[in-house]
Amino acid sequence: ENGITRPKGHKVTYHYNSTVEDMHFGKTHPMKPWRLTLAKHLILGYGLQHTMDTHEAVAAGKDQVSRFHDPHYVEFLSQVSPTTFDELCRDPRFAKAIPPKHPGDNVDLGPYNLSTSPGADCPVFADMSTYLFLYTGATLAAARQLVSDTSDIAINWSGGLHHAHKAEASGFCYINDIVLAILEMLKRWPRVLYIDIDVHHGDGVEEAFQREPRVMTLSFHRYGTYDESQPGHKFFPGTGDVSDRGLRGTIGEHFALNVPIGAGIDDRQYGGLFEAIVGRAFEAYKPSAIVLQCGADSLGGDRLGQFNLNIKQHGECIAFVKALGVPLLLLGGGGYTARNVARAWCHETALATDNTLPPNIPMDLIPEPRAFQGHGNGNGQLYPAFPPNKHINECKDDQLEMMVKKLD
Ligand code: ZLM
Ligand code: CA
Ligand code: ZN
């Protein structure tokens, strides 16, 4: 009755778990799983659940996670909590994973870059194991859905945690669900293209497949000096220069692409880069399936990001990839201004199901509108005008053009 319909000709599945949404990394930690509740409530408010099959995720098994991660690390993650952490640190099996302390470190790091200090990027928090194995379970279920042809587009907004390494947590990421999903997809398909529009470099995924020509990784990200007052301090994680093209001297060389970008890039510049590069990569590589990490920290007004994209352009990236017509796994990732993350991922769920949403949020349809009113200036608009990030626009058109040529 509100014009929301099922897509014709393709099927979408939505993978979620409410337990994941209730987790807390710590009071002021930028990663807020409740942004997923905001997104879900917007999606339900518009009635998009009727346009796709929804699947409640079950936890991934340790054996599944060990297909990429070190089994000791997986064991540690399966047992860790604020109460077991100290005891696990004394366990000789994990002792060698504790990094040496550098003078000036302001947080104590335990094994695998985990820490109970509140200021850590990868804190140990209550029910953390449950959280980790559930978001991973959701991504694996989504990947299996594509592999078995029971879905054409599978969505898990709680996944996309691209920084996790084989035996190390990094940048709010503990289990690399993306790598595990791609491994699942390689059981059926010869080539998988991974595209990453999170504002940070997708280093964990790139590293995992740096010797693997069956996976092409392509990340767009902020790269370079973080701000003028701190010369030498690089935007996290500091990798992903244009010259970084996969491991030299292996058959994986040339199957990684990186698009390092200055602060303040706008919609027109980003859209031009994205369509030129993704279009050429698709033509040349001919992937059988695509995994798209849709990190929403590339939006303007993000608490950590430095780009100035509007939801419209962020969504156009998703629409462009969808139009390529191969099985597609849509994952979340970063995104630190929660109300904008919810707006973006709701809009992108609508795009996946061929729906167009009205610009005003129908507040009466949202199960708990209080959730929107309570956080920030919820102005009832799905596509608000962003406060641009304060950064000077470092992006010059001629430099961006040069990059497209360099990548050719
Ligand atoms: N310090 N609290 C993106 C991952 C970005 C490394 C500098 C820790 C923060 C940040 C943590 C509560 C994705 C770095 C930062 C402070 C060494 C990063 C806890 C604020 C807080 O208030 C905070 C006390 C914390 C962390 C800011 N960390 C901002 N940027 C990055 C990691 C993840 O979006 O790509 C995918 C989900 N880390 O810059 C430091 C160098 C640790
Ligand atoms: Ca990226
Ligand atoms: Zn990010």
Side-chain angles (χ1 to χ4, degrees), residues 162 196-202 218-222 270 293:
H162 58 178
D196 184 317
I197 61 168
D198 189 287
V199 76
H200 297 97
H201 176 222
L218 166 56
S219 176
F220 296 80
H221 44 268
R222 171 77 175 93
Y270 196 94
Q293 198 267 21

Side-chain angles (χ1 to χ4, degrees), residues 324-345:
L324 298 172
V326 299
L328 178 59
L329 177 57
L330 290 180
L331 300 173
Y336 306 100
T337 299
R339 62 188 185 278
N340 291 338
V341 178
R343 288 167 172 139
W345 290 346

